[in-house]
Amino acid sequence: MIVQIPAVLGAAQVRAAREALERAPWVDGLATAGHQGARVKRNRQLAEASPLALELGQMVLAALERHPLFISAALPHEVYPPMFNRYEGGETFGAHVDNAVRLLPGTGRKFRTDLSATLFLTDPDTYDGGELLIEDTYGAHSVKLPAGDLILYPSSSLHRVEPVTRGVRLASFMWVQSMVADEGERNLLFDLDTAIQRLAQTNADEAARLQLTGCYHNLLRRWIKV
């Protein structure tokens, strides 16, 4: 399931992040590439432990914690510290699948990547190319979102970033370890939660809404792994 999360960051937050990133020192994106990614990755990124990456990462995490659609779709147990990348001058990231397990910086703990996320920080009309192409059973989906919006998709998906041929593409990227590891179960819970919210907004049968809410939480208890 691919879910667009609108307005994770507001206009002022995006502007402040972009201004800070324009002055930032960048390192070769290969610094965090796995064996597979190293063959096709050509971009730059902030050093993971840099003060700016940590500061902006905390801003992104705080925004995600307040976004009900992200919580509903991801059911996050933990979010990998957000990182930041930059594409320009033909830079690209070829087709790859994200590593299933990463080590959390500074802890040595293993982190399972259930979901991947890209938060766009530059408006789509300011650069050419740079589309994120995500493949699933229905084909390839091209994603190029307004600044401040985020795309959430299964980390098991084959995906790539098209070459940026004009301007600069700035983004934050991260992974989510969900409380519900199984993608099918997570998708069912998301559909059920979406239906419950629609019932609440339309003042539909309250007894039916409460019954469905009970089903949602009982399924969550059955499937959750924390």
Side-chain angles (χ1 to χ4, degrees), residues 32 45-46 48 53 80-85 102 171-175:
T32 58
Q45 63 190 49
L46 286 187
E48 282 188 89
Y80 193 92
M83 295 191 285
F84 299 83
N85 58 21
R102 300 188 69 91
S172 176
F173 63 102
M174 69 216 78
W175 298 273

Side-chain angles (χ1 to χ4, degrees), residues 52-65:
L52 180 58
L54 297 175
E55 177 187 348
L56 294 179
Q58 285 301 313
M59 178 181 71
V60 172
L61 289 175
L64 290 174
E65 289 172 357

Side-chain angles (χ1 to χ4, degrees), residues 16-130:
R18 198 161 53 221
E19 289 173 356
L21 290 171
E22 287 294 349
R23 301 189 302 269
W26 297 88
V27 301
D28 194 321
L30 292 178
T32 58
H35 174 72
Q36 174 195 199
R39 303 171 60 183
V40 295
K41 186 177 185 182
R42 188 157 60 89
N43 67 1
R44 284 167 290 162
Q45 63 190 49
L46 286 187
E48 282 188 89
S50 72
L52 180 58
L54 297 175
E55 177 187 348
L56 294 179
Q58 285 301 313
M59 178 181 71
V60 172
L61 289 175
L64 290 174
E65 289 172 357
R66 297 190 299 266
H67 205 297
L69 181 56
F70 173 78
I71 300 300
S72 177
L75 294 171
H77 173 57
E78 193 166 9
V79 180
Y80 193 92
M83 295 191 285
F84 299 83
N85 58 21
R86 178 186 183 104
Y87 292 82
E88 63 182 318
E91 290 175 323
T92 183
F93 197 163
H96 64 285
V97 174
D98 290 339
N99 292 344
V101 177
R102 300 188 69 91
L103 292 179
L104 282 167
T107 69
R109 286 197 295 115
K110 293 181 174 64
F111 179 99
R112 187 187 67 243
T113 59
D114 297 317
L115 294 159
S116 300
T118 296
L119 173 62
F120 289 78
L121 296 173
T122 38
D123 289 311
D125 60 353
T126 64
Y127 62 98
D128 292 336

